[in-house]
């Protein structure tokens, strides 16, 4: 899978896709939902420049940059990994990428920890707060964490999402550049690969993710593109 490079590549709104392996696109090699999202940018004639320190798992994309860190929790995205300090954290990534729009999708790895739902929700909201502190002018779109096939983990995801949405709702009253995106409701366990976590490369899950993101961010991109 590949996309013909548009003439306006890297000339538009700077967009950072930030998160874990779902943002990376694994186990696809073509970019996962980022590939599908870029197709929608082209169809809508919206110049976008993906930014980020990583380019792996993006063989089909003419603009491969992202910040999808496979296996990382919300806490690690915020403060970095002790086992890999050179990989950086949200502070270093935002400083280097200067995004105008941020697409945050995290939380999947958090539910595998022994921490309670309150604690992992607080970790994700702390990541949101750190991003707002570091990039207050950026438009931040926070996707709800997608479902998992395991019934116990799926119930944790649902409770975790409820807690996060409550925290986001309170913050959004004071922050017009903060947005919530119903990613969880856009897909189902039928879209997942055999591992019950990631999206099948040959299925429709990544397209559904892209549709949810695009619906949420299109008006913002159109507004920013006119400046």
């Amino acid at each position: 899978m590949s996309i013909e490079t548009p003439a306006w590549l890297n000339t538009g709104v700077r967009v950072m896709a930030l998160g874990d392996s779902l943002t990376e696109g694994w186990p696809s090699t073509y970019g996962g939902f980022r590939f599908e999202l870029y197709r929608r940018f082209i169809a809508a004639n919206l110049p976008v420049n993906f930014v980020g320190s990583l380019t792996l798992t993006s063989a089909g994309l003419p603009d491969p940059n992202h910040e999808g860190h496979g296996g990382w929790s919300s806490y690690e995205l915020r403060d970095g990994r002790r086992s890999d300090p050179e990989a950086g954290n949200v502070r270093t990534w935002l400083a280097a990428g200067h995004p105008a729009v941020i697409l945050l999708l995290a939380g999947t790895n958090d539910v595998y920890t022994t921490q309670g739902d309150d604690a992992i929700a607080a970790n994700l909201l702390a990541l949101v707060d750190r991003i707002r502190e570091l990039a207050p002018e950026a438009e931040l779109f926070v996707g709800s964490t997608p479902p998992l096939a395991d019934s116990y983990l799926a119930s944790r995801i649902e409770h975790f999402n409820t807690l996060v949405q409550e925290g986001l709702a309170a913050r959004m009253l004071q922050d017009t550049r903060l947005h919530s995106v119903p990613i969880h409701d856009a897909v189902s366990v039928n879209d997942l690969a055999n591992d019950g976590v990631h999206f099948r490369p040959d299925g429709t899950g990544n397209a559904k993710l892209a549709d949810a993101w695009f619906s949420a961010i299109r008006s913002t991109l159109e507004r920013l593109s006119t400046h």
Side-chain angles (χ1 to χ4, degrees), residues 26-141:
W26 193 92
S28 80
T29 59
Y30 60 82
F33 79 74
R34 292 180 292 110
F35 177 92
E36 297 291 347
L37 188 54
Y38 205 82
R39 290 177 60 191
R40 285 148 180 78
F41 294 153
I42 293 174
N45 197 30
L46 279 172
V48 166
N49 177 12
F50 276 139
V51 296
S53 63
L54 302 176
T55 59
L56 72 168
T57 321
S58 303
L61 272 168
D63 190 356
N65 299 86
H66 64 92
E67 291 294 352
H69 296 261
W72 286 41
S73 67
S74 300
Y75 176 86
E76 291 171 319
L77 292 170
R78 187 187 71 194
D79 293 339
R81 266 191 170 175
R82 293 180 180 178
S83 61
D84 189 14
E86 294 302 316
N89 55 54
V90 71
R91 182 181 297 276
T92 56
W93 305 328
L94 291 176
H98 303 290
V101 173
I102 302 165
L103 312 181
L104 174 63
L105 186 61
T108 296
N109 295 304
D110 298 60
V111 300
Y112 286 91
T113 70
T114 58
Q115 289 184 301
D117 293 351
D118 288 347
I120 61 175
N123 283 341
L124 181 50
L125 290 169
L127 171 59
V128 170
D129 291 340
R130 179 67 57 82
I131 294 171
R132 301 317 291 147
E133 170 195 342
L134 297 170
E137 299 301 314
E139 300 282 348
L140 173 58
F141 293 82

